[in-house]
């Protein structure tokens, strides 16, 4: 089994742990989509498989890092109304900049991850490869077609994922 030292360093980072714990607390009774590890790992796995299928050549740990960081700012959206992609980019930047040297990402990898975190909610016309991959994988991970809360969900039918997609 391939241990992902850099991704594990992110999830062990004190700031990540605090933000993630707060998000879990705020979503404890939520009946709609949650933003915890099962969702984050679904996004990571879909993105990695899609990257391999499309021959994108994006390093696995970069994909997983973007996926586990993409919703880390969601608690700020609940508490302060700040869009979670903006809060998430700020939090992710601090985490990436303070990882131990042996678990650090290159400057280009950090830039790619932060761009993907910032762009995962609305697809820009000139989206970068990882940004688009994270966006599409995030959407594909939601299984609205089998969600017991689908009828009560405020998402438009166009936004809901009503079929298995990749």
């Amino acid at each position: 089994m391939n241990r992902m030292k850099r991704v594990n360093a992110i999830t062990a980072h004190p700031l990540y742990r605090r933000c993630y714990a707060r998000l879990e607390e705020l979503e404890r009774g939520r009946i709609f989509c949650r933003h915890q590890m099962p969702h984050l790992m679904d996004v990571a796995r879909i993105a990695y498989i899609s990257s391999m299928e499309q021959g994108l050549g994006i390093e696995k740990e970069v994909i997983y890092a973007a996926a586990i960081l993409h919703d880390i700012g969601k608690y700020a959206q609940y508490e302060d109304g700040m869009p979670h992609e903006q809060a998430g980019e700020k939090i992710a930047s601090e985490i990436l900049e303070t990882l131990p040297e042996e678990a650090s990402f290159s400057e280009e990898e950090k830039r790619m991850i932060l761009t993907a975190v910032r762009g995962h909610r609305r697809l820009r016309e000139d989206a970068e490869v990882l940004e688009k991959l994270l966006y599409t994988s995030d959407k594909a991970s939601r299984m609205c077609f089998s969600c017991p809360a689908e009828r009560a969900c405020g998402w438009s039918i166009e936004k809901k994922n009503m079929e298995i997609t990749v």
Side-chain angles (χ1 to χ4, degrees):
M1 186 165 301
N2 184 7
R3 186 173 172 270
M4 292 192 279
K5 181 171 33 173
R6 298 187 296 170
V7 172
N8 286 313
I10 292 170
T11 61
H13 193 284
L15 179 57
Y16 188 90
R17 306 293 288 181
R18 281 194 309 275
C19 295
Y20 186 84
R22 184 68 182 134
L23 178 58
E24 276 189 316
E25 185 181 322
L26 290 167
E27 288 191 341
R28 186 165 287 125
R30 185 176 164 91
I31 63 168
F32 302 108
C33 300
R34 293 185 182 196
H35 303 88
Q36 277 94 49
M37 203 52 70
H39 166 63
L40 304 177
M41 293 304 291
D42 285 348
V43 172
R45 291 175 178 133
I46 291 168
Y48 183 61
I49 291 167
S50 297
S51 176
M52 289 192 309
E53 288 177 343
Q54 297 172 45
L56 300 178
I58 303 171
E59 206 272 319
K60 185 177 186 177
E61 280 199 278
V62 171
I63 292 170
Y64 272 71
I68 64 166
L69 287 165
H70 84 276
D71 281 335
I72 199 62
K74 190 71 176 175
Y75 82 91
Q77 186 168 324
Y78 292 139
E79 291 183 341
D80 308 325
M82 175 184 265
H84 76 270
E85 68 276 19
Q86 291 173 19
E89 180 185 20
K90 182 179 177 201
I91 295 163
S93 177
E94 185 175 336
I95 291 168
L96 293 172
E97 289 299 326
T98 57
L99 288 174
E101 187 176 333
E102 67 276 3
S104 66
F105 290 84
S106 72
E107 290 305 314
E108 177 60 13
E109 289 172 330
K110 288 188 270 190
R111 188 198 64 71
M112 289 170 54
I113 293 165
L114 294 174
T115 299
V117 169
R118 182 178 59 249
H120 83 273
R121 286 188 67 201
R122 290 174 191 82
L123 191 59
R124 299 180 306 134
E125 195 171 305
D126 60 342
E128 294 182 10
V129 177
L130 180 60
E131 181 181 7
K132 184 176 181 181
L133 183 65
L134 187 64
Y135 173 86
T136 57
S137 300
D138 188 29
K139 305 312 171 239
S141 75
R142 299 301 189 182
M143 295 186 240
C144 304
F145 63 88
S146 67
C147 176
E150 184 268 324
R151 292 187 189 270
C153 178
W155 280 8
S156 67
I157 193 68
E158 295 80 27
K159 192 173 178 184
K160 289 180 181 178
N161 190 9
M162 298 305 287
E163 298 178 329
I164 296 174
T165 60
V166 203

